[in-house]
Amino acid sequence: MAQPALKGFLRVLSTLCCVIAAGLISACEMQQWNNPYLSAESDENILYSSFAARPKHLDPAQSYSSNEVQFTAQIYEPPLQYHYLKRPYQLEPLAAESVPVAVYYDADGNVLDDNADAGLVAKSVYEIKIKPGIQYQPHPAFSRTNPDSNDDTFSYHALSQDQLDEIDVLGDFAQTDSRELIAADYVYQIKRLAHPKIHSPIFGLMIEYIDGLLDYSKVLGKQLESDEKAWIDLREHALSGVEVVDRYTYRITLKTKYPQFKYWLAMPFFAPIPWEVDRFYAQPGLTKKNITLDWYPVGTGPYMLTVNNPNRQMILERNPSFRGEAYPNEGEPGDEAAGLLVDAGKTMPFIDKVVFSLEKEQIPYWNKFLQGYYDSSGVGSDSFDQAVNISGGGDATLTAEMTDRGISLLTTVATSTYYGGFNMLDPVIGGYGERAELLRRAIAIALDYEEFISIFNNGRGIPGQGPIPPGIFGYEEGINPYVYDMVDGRPQRKSIAEARALLVKAGYADGIDQSTGEPLLLYYDTAAVGPAAKATLDWWRKQFKKINIQLVIRSTDYNRFQQKMRDGKAQIFSWGWNADYPDPENFLFLLYGPNKKAQLNGENAANYVNKEFDHLYESMKNLPNGPERASVIKKMIDIARKDGPWLWGFHPKVFSLQHEWLKNTKPADVANNTLKYKRVDQVARDARRAEWNQPVLWPLYLIIVALVALITPAFIAYKQRQRASAISNSTIGKPA
Amino acid sequence: MLAYIIRRLLYAIPILIGVNLITFALFFVVNTPDDVARVHLGDKYLNEEAVANWKAARGYDKPLIYNPGASGFDKFQQTIFFEKSAKLFVFDFGAADDGRDIGYDIRQRMWPSLAIAIPSLIIGLLINVTVAMMLAFFRASYIDIVGVIAGVTLMSISSMFYIIGGQYLISKSLHLVPISGYDEGLSAIKFLVLPIIVGLIGGIGSGTRWYRTIFLEEINRDYVRTARAKGLFESIVLFKHVLKNAMIPILTGVVVILPILFMGSLVTESFFGIPGLGSYVIDAIQAQDFAIVRAMVFLGSVLYIVGLILTDISYTLVDPRVRLS
């Protein structure tokens, strides 16, 4: 009786094995089991990228973070943009006909010279003419019940509950339409910056410049008091500083001279928003379904967001209404040799679709890049050694594994600065007396940022000699003479002996305060907590220990740390700044007295105040780039170096890797609308993916064999026990 | 039974109020609305007016729990507690701090969580019960000893090891499934295989050990001896009699987690890029979006209580001796 059962079992098992094996063999014909995308996409002209955290805002009045701008910059078109290839960065027209030139007026309305003193300027006027014929992406907000009419009878501006019930995402709207971009759309968006419910991050800054913006906000606020949920048609309220001149021209009036304003015109904050779109999204029923302008942007740019599921994937697709734009014909020296001018003059964009997948963890992200499923990648600290070799001279090269895969490395110094700061209001470390100055200088020497960059940043950075990073006008190759010496043509940090000598001069010989006889205790305030921060904090302690100063770490949470900084209660801290625009003013204002953080809530975190520096800043701010401005900047940096409110920290280097099939990539830290320039050779990509991702099946066969080998004796043993007599020595029935 | 359920539901109210008060205190007293506003608005160019506007737009400018400026019941209604916490009792989750509707997001994100949790639970239960039954059958033999050692070893290893090891072996080295990601419909299967396998392997050690103990306890009872004495096949003894009688402790473990399955797994969803509720909570914590965290904590408490009530009810279904009163 047992024999047929065993035979039956073995028959079932062998059939199962055959079925699995047949399935696996047939599946071998299908390539790339690990392909996270649809196989049908392989022929399409798609770029694959990722994002680590879902963007908070895609409304151009609100979005500011780099992970938001990577989307908004492809969709919205402000009047200006940066030249993709030229360095230093140059502004050029995008939607505008030309880069506007400010006209300055005095209090009597007389036109002033371009170089007029800022004190004489009562207003600056920018008149911006946009290109006619630019069309918006297709969108239901533009759809009219009677497409031939120009009246305001829009299909979806007053949605009924029945209509709402059928809508879940924006793509559920049956009709879409487009319309031409007009100057009034830019004016509408600038008005939105003042809307009390939008909370634009630059509102606080812009009220200092745009005439009437603060009053405009108050007017809107008053209207909201009567009905806080009502939609406000901003066309009905005039803003004195912004007006429509004609269909394609608008005018912005600033209350003062502010030459840096033109850089803001290259940011999505100043992109157009049509009133129809604002009206459409203001419907409460859509908000309840999370269909908002903050979620579904509407622009005139080369791409439009067709899928917005930031929990998984965001997809940009070519905007069918996009007019086309020519790839640059010229760049900086070396661009032609780097193949960056191969597509010169060709119509952009080159890529039809860009798929961004949510990738929170480094390991899957990095492995997908190596498998060819992402076209480019950053270099995380986990994968740094696998990807990059740093030579003794600090030069970065790719490892053999990367070069074998045809991967290339792009490096650039970011337009950022990470610095340590001294609170100049602090009675010990702050102030402008010689004692504190010498103490700060000794610490600046002792704090070895070269070591910091090497240990914590894999060598990716250059020590700061001043606040301005490379690539920004005013940056100089020289050294900070208070911290470095030039030895054999290279900067060399001064010795610890010199730092100790400075301490002696300051009255802190061997870390003892000579006036009290007590050891000098200093405090480092930080939001870094937990085991991950321990190495960095230990490094900080060790640096101070070199000059016998005890450093006490005051770790706290981010909110408390920010509060301390606002109150001017921190003593020594770390801080950073990413450029908003490529102008030295955007870095030097970090040391401008009236911009101090304590009391005034500015960006001068060290609360540094030096009248001469401030005076020079005010002059530098309004000068055009040239020898005069460079000279003023040099003086300012010299003053700041002497006073030493910062430990000058470092300017980070950005490393990025790209596969050989991705073309026209050039690091552009300040420019964000770079997708349109890129091109993908999808044939090469498909070939490489197929080569790299063949499924390896033998371990599966091995597992099946192992399972059979395990199950068969167990089954045999089971059957034997079933057949065993009740009085045998079987263990069945015995207590465990 | 109805009276019992109603009584249990009434007991839940003070528990939920307690949970609500604790989370409210944590999020609004420890972390002030000003802090929340600053986190959301960012550091650059931030001024007090922007903070005030942000708070006003989200109702964070009201008093915390008592509004002396209001009249009548509004003294309690026109407060942050009523607006942000008390409304949770009617499952009005409100809007996240970035303006999105939380209820909508929960409804969208519960499905990917369930897509992992339900197969993991069912397949895991089948495997664990089968293996445990096999170990009980071969108790005190070398198969049992090896099985127990393997079980202890598997349960001693961190779940992170299984995740990273699984990704390395199955996706990176063997190229069998995508290393992470998610898709809609049937296309989701290839993304679910790895997290489910990892979850099963990670849970098999503790699961089989637990069920083996239950089965061994049952297997020595008199009714089992009687069944064998009647000459029943061992498979019938085990699957018909032992398993049925072991259902109460099994149900205790399984039914209680059924409702909270859809809350998702924080770690698994993050590592495999699954857009479920687990990663929703992680994202909210990282973004300091306490409206979401508060809603999810409340929802988790409600579901846990529901799970306990369901467990009690299920006792009566598998054991007629149990009566709820």
Side-chain angles (χ1 to χ4, degrees):
Chain A
M1 187 181 161
Q3 208 60 12
L6 183 62
K7 278 183 182 167
F9 168 74
L10 292 174
R11 202 161 41 239
V12 169
L13 201 62
S14 58
T15 310
L16 192 66
C17 289
C18 288
V19 169
I20 293 171
L24 291 176
I25 289 162
S26 66
C28 275
E29 291 165 14
M30 295 163 50
Q31 290 180 338
Q32 302 166 42
W33 292 9
N34 61 351
N35 187 348
Y37 312 116
L38 297 173
S39 49
E41 285 181 354
S42 63
D43 295 336
E44 293 180 37
N45 181 13
I46 300 175
L47 184 139
Y48 294 98
S49 187
S50 70
F51 59 105
R54 81 176 172 83
K56 270 187 189 171
H57 300 292
L58 296 176
D59 180 338
Q62 290 179 281
S63 79
Y64 206 172
S65 305
S66 55
N67 73 324
E68 297 162 358
V69 176
Q70 72 169 328
F71 297 103
T72 55
Q74 325 308 328
I75 297 164
Y76 289 107
E77 290 192 305
L80 306 178
Q81 66 178 348
Y82 292 98
H83 194 284
Y84 183 54
L85 300 176
K86 290 181 183 171
R87 300 290 181 276
Y89 290 100
Q90 284 181 21
L91 282 175
E92 64 175 17
L94 179 57
E97 292 273 16
S98 59
V99 177
V101 178
V103 180
Y104 301 114
Y105 295 88
D106 65 14
D108 298 327
N110 301 314
V111 175
L112 296 170
D113 188 60
D114 281 357
N115 297 324
D117 189 83
L120 298 173
V121 175
K123 64 175 182 179
S124 330
V125 175
Y126 290 80
E127 196 160 286
I128 301 157
K129 196 166 181 59
I130 57 166
K131 294 167 187 163
I134 296 175
Q135 291 285 321
Y136 280 99
Q137 67 180 73
H139 192 275
F142 300 120
S143 182
R144 293 168 190 270
T145 46
N146 179 4
D148 298 327
S149 95
N150 261 340
D151 60 16
D152 281 359
T153 50
F154 290 92
S155 308
Y156 302 121
H157 282 201
L159 291 166
S160 66
Q161 191 54 50
D162 287 346
Q163 284 177 299
L164 281 168
D165 288 344
E166 290 173 10
I167 291 157
D168 209 33
V169 292
L170 195 66
D172 292 339
F173 286 94
Q175 297 170 33
T176 58
D177 207 343
S178 177
R179 80 149 165 81
E180 191 188 21
L181 169 73
I182 54 173
D185 301 337
Y186 285 96
V187 172
Y188 198 91
Q189 164 68 356
I190 297 171
K191 290 176 175 176
R192 291 181 79 243
L193 299 178
H195 199 299
K197 288 180 83 173
I198 290 178
H199 316 296
S200 175
I202 63 162
F203 172 67
L205 181 75
M206 286 301 146
I207 54 175
E208 304 292 326
Y209 298 108
I210 298 178
D211 187 38
L213 198 65
L214 182 61
D215 292 338
Y216 193 76
S217 172
K218 287 176 182 165
V219 169
L220 300 184
K222 205 160 252 180
Q223 184 159 346
L224 283 172
E225 277 174 15
S226 55
D227 182 0
E228 64 172 19
K229 288 188 176 166
W231 173 66
I232 303 177
D233 188 347
L234 301 180
R235 294 173 301 169
E236 291 172 0
H237 301 274
L239 167 58
S240 56
V242 188
E243 58 189 321
V244 176
V245 177
D246 60 39
R247 184 172 173 83
Y248 300 114
T249 313
Y250 65 106
R251 188 181 294 138
I252 302 174
T253 304
L254 306 185
K255 295 185 281 188
T256 181
K257 189 176 182 181
Y258 182 36
Q260 289 73 28
F261 184 71
K262 61 180 184 285
Y263 296 113
W264 289 100
L265 295 176
M267 295 191 203
F269 293 115
F270 288 85
I273 289 292
W275 74 268
E276 298 95 323
V277 166
D278 196 36
R279 175 72 193 88
F280 170 82
Y281 282 121
Q283 297 174 86
L286 291 181
T287 311
K288 195 77 184 160
K289 288 174 181 280
N290 289 335
I291 299 176
T292 63
L293 183 59
D294 216 14
W295 210 243
Y296 291 103
V298 187
T300 58
Y303 292 100
M304 55 187 196
L305 192 66
T306 51
V307 174
N308 186 2
N309 181 359
N311 308 323
R312 187 170 70 80
Q313 206 169 56
M314 297 174 75
I315 297 178
L316 292 173
E317 286 186 73
R318 187 191 285 263
N319 172 7
S321 309
F322 185 61
R323 63 197 176 282
E325 197 185 335
Y327 188 89
N329 284 309
E330 52 182 348
E332 60 176 345
D335 282 348
E336 188 158 14
L340 288 168
L341 289 173
V342 170
D343 291 317
K346 290 183 186 166
T347 304
M348 301 183 296
F350 300 116
I351 293 167
D352 294 335
K353 189 168 158 183
V354 187
V355 175
F356 294 87
S357 302
L358 179 65
E359 208 66 76
K360 290 183 190 171
E361 300 295 332
Q362 267 294 318
I363 294 172
Y365 167 70
W366 174 244
N367 285 314
K368 276 187 188 169
F369 170 69
L370 292 182
Q371 289 170 339
Y373 295 126
Y374 289 132
D375 298 321
S376 60
S377 165
V379 188
S381 52
D382 293 345
S383 48
F384 191 85
D385 291 340
Q386 190 187 349
V388 180
N389 290 321
I390 299 283
S391 69
D395 298 325
T397 52
L398 284 174
T399 58
E401 185 188 348
M402 296 298 115
T403 47
D404 288 349
R405 284 178 173 260
I407 291 169
S408 56
L409 173 70
L410 297 175
T411 67
T412 183
V413 179
T415 48
S416 307
T417 185
Y418 293 163
Y419 60 92
F422 300 108
N423 177 10
M424 296 300 276
L425 302 174
D426 185 82
V428 178
I429 202 80
Y432 301 88
E434 192 190 13
R435 194 179 191 209
E437 193 177 298
L438 292 172
L439 174 60
R440 289 195 296 269
R441 204 172 290 166
I443 295 170
I445 293 170
L447 229 81
D448 187 349
Y449 269 104
E450 287 81 358
E451 187 182 82
F452 184 94
I453 295 165
S454 170
I455 295 174
F456 299 107
N457 232 28
N458 296 107
R460 286 173 289 182
I462 58 167
Q465 305 291 344
I468 302 175
I472 304 282
F473 182 83
Y475 171 79
E476 278 189 359
E477 289 281 347
I479 57 165
N480 175 358
Y482 300 99
V483 180
Y484 288 88
D485 292 317
M486 195 61 92
V487 179
D488 298 332
R490 296 175 73 100
Q492 184 173 306
R493 189 171 285 275
K494 288 180 189 288
S495 68
I496 291 298
E498 283 182 72
R500 286 187 172 150
L502 288 171
L503 275 188
V504 173
K505 271 192 197 172
Y508 296 108
D510 211 24
I512 305 293
D513 185 342
Q514 302 301 306
S515 57
T516 61
E518 297 289 323
L520 176 62
L521 272 186
L522 294 179
Y523 298 91
Y524 177 62
D525 293 278
T526 176
V529 287
K534 188 176 180 305
T536 317
L537 299 178
D538 284 346
W539 180 86
W540 272 86
R541 277 193 208 96
K542 196 180 133 199
Q543 303 305 306
F544 281 75
K545 192 74 190 159
K546 286 188 216 164
I547 48 175
N548 289 333
I549 294 178
Q550 290 183 48
L551 184 72
V552 178
I553 306 290
R554 292 195 295 209
S555 291
T556 181
D557 64 78
Y558 179 76
N559 295 329
R560 300 287 84 73
F561 172 66
Q562 292 287 339
Q563 184 67 48
K564 265 189 184 179
M565 293 297 293
R566 283 196 297 278
D567 295 344
K569 299 271 175 64
Q571 192 179 62
I572 302 170
F573 57 89
S574 292
W575 208 257
W577 185 259
N578 297 321
D580 292 305
Y581 43 81
D583 191 273
E585 178 266 354
N586 198 231
F587 285 91
L588 293 170
F589 89 134
L590 300 173
L591 292 165
Y592 180 51
N595 197 26
K596 65 180 183 177
K597 189 165 274 296
Q599 291 119 33
L600 301 178
N601 209 16
E603 302 296 345
N604 174 358
N607 302 307
Y608 172 63
V609 181
N610 180 303
K611 279 185 182 166
E612 193 187 350
F613 182 96
D614 293 348
H615 178 70
L616 289 168
Y617 170 85
E618 282 151 15
S619 137
M620 176 280 306
K621 188 180 166 186
N622 295 308
L623 286 171
N625 286 347
E628 190 186 354
R629 197 177 198 208
S631 163
V632 174
I633 291 170
K634 190 172 180 334
K635 281 183 199 163
M636 293 173 72
I637 292 176
D638 285 345
I639 292 168
R641 280 171 175 167
K642 180 180 173 298
D643 287 344
W646 285 9
L647 294 153
W648 298 96
F650 67 100
H651 309 298
K653 269 187 185 172
V654 180
F655 284 21
S656 60
L657 302 170
Q658 58 170 33
H659 284 295
E660 60 193 345
W661 56 76
L662 184 61
K663 312 290 184 189
N664 298 340
T665 54
K666 179 168 184 170
D669 207 27
V670 176
N672 294 301
N673 58 343
T674 55
L675 275 180
K676 63 187 174 189
Y677 301 97
K678 292 181 181 171
R679 182 163 58 80
V680 168
D681 178 352
Q682 68 259 40
V683 177
R685 178 171 63 190
D686 280 356
R688 288 296 229 169
R689 278 186 183 174
E691 180 191 336
W692 293 339
N693 295 292
Q694 286 301 311
V696 182
L697 296 172
W698 65 262
L700 280 189
Y701 299 132
L702 201 66
I703 290 169
I704 293 167
V705 171
L707 281 175
V708 171
L710 277 172
I711 292 170
T712 307
F715 183 77
I716 292 169
Y718 167 77
K719 294 308 292 181
Q720 282 174 347
R721 288 198 180 186
Q722 291 287 65
R723 284 187 293 114
S725 75
I727 55 167
S728 73
N729 291 331
S730 164
T731 53
I732 297 170
K734 286 184 178 177
Chain B
M1 189 196 285
L2 188 65
Y4 173 82
I5 293 170
I6 290 170
R7 197 165 65 244
R8 285 294 302 269
L9 288 173
L10 290 174
Y11 287 163
I13 292 172
I15 296 171
L16 291 174
I17 290 173
V19 168
N20 222 338
L21 281 171
I22 290 168
T23 49
F24 178 78
L26 280 173
F27 293 135
F28 285 110
V29 178
V30 178
N31 227 7
T32 66
D34 270 53
D35 293 336
V36 178
R38 286 176 188 282
V39 166
H40 282 270
L41 291 170
D43 297 331
K44 276 190 168 180
Y45 307 117
L46 185 61
N47 58 21
E48 292 303 323
E49 195 181 358
V51 172
N53 275 341
W54 190 91
K55 288 194 302 180
R58 284 158 181 78
Y60 287 123
D61 55 342
K62 294 177 178 146
L64 280 178
I65 50 174
Y66 181 74
N67 189 345
S71 57
F73 191 58
D74 277 356
K75 283 182 189 295
F76 299 98
Q77 258 190 323
Q78 295 297 317
T79 60
I80 296 179
F81 180 73
F82 187 85
E83 289 286 325
K84 305 290 175 190
S85 284
K87 284 186 175 176
L88 293 176
F89 281 96
V90 289
F91 296 98
D92 178 356
F93 299 116
D97 289 335
D98 65 1
R100 284 178 60 79
D101 187 75
I102 297 173
Y104 179 88
D105 276 348
I106 290 174
R107 287 192 296 279
Q108 296 291 310
R109 299 186 69 142
M110 60 186 268
W111 299 112
S113 291
L114 287 174
I116 293 187
I118 290 178
S120 298
L121 179 78
I122 295 170
I123 301 171
L125 196 63
L126 286 174
I127 291 176
N128 293 350
V129 166
T130 308
V131 175
M133 200 72 94
M134 187 185 81
L135 296 181
F137 179 79
F138 290 109
R139 62 196 173 281
S141 70
Y142 77 93
I143 294 177
D144 184 28
I145 293 165
V146 170
V148 170
I149 291 171
V152 171
T153 309
L154 285 172
M155 64 191 277
S156 307
I157 296 172
S158 158
S159 61
M160 291 295 292
F161 176 84
Y162 291 118
I163 292 172
I164 295 170
Q167 286 183 330
Y168 182 84
L169 182 71
I170 297 176
S171 294
K172 183 172 186 268
S173 303
L174 305 183
H175 308 139
L176 296 178
V177 290
I179 198 163
S180 67
Y182 191 72
D183 209 339
E184 308 283 331
L186 289 177
S187 306
I189 292 173
K190 65 179 175 184
F191 296 103
L192 295 175
V193 170
L194 185 56
I196 289 173
I197 289 176
V198 164
L200 292 176
I201 295 174
I204 204 168
S206 54
T208 50
R209 286 269 295 138
W210 167 238
Y211 294 135
R212 175 185 170 276
T213 311
I214 294 168
F215 293 142
L216 286 181
E217 202 175 306
E218 287 296 322
I219 221 160
N220 292 314
R221 292 187 188 272
D222 290 345
Y223 73 88
V224 176
R225 193 171 295 120
T226 309
R228 287 196 184 114
K230 278 163 56 182
L232 291 179
F233 279 112
E234 187 65 12
S235 53
I236 293 174
V237 173
L238 287 174
F239 284 97
K240 193 170 175 189
H241 297 283
V242 174
L243 182 60
K244 196 173 174 185
N245 284 285
M247 281 307 279
I248 287 187
I250 293 176
L251 279 175
T252 313
V254 174
V255 179
V256 75
I257 63 166
L258 279 180
I260 53 172
L261 280 182
F262 97 102
M263 297 289 286
S265 160
L266 304 183
V267 178
T268 304
E269 288 182 9
S270 270
F271 264 82
F272 290 104
I274 307 289
L277 287 172
S279 53
Y280 189 46
V281 176
I282 291 276
D283 292 348
I285 292 169
Q286 282 171 350
Q288 293 204 20
D289 198 327
F290 296 129
I292 296 173
V293 180
R294 228 168 26 244
M296 293 303 289
V297 168
F298 181 81
L299 194 59
S301 311
V302 170
L303 291 170
Y304 192 71
I305 290 167
V306 170
L308 291 174
I309 296 172
L310 286 179
T311 309
D312 288 354
I313 295 169
S314 63
Y315 285 160
T316 63
L317 300 178
V318 294
D319 189 347
R321 293 169 300 177
V322 177
R323 289 280 180 274
L324 301 178
S325 60

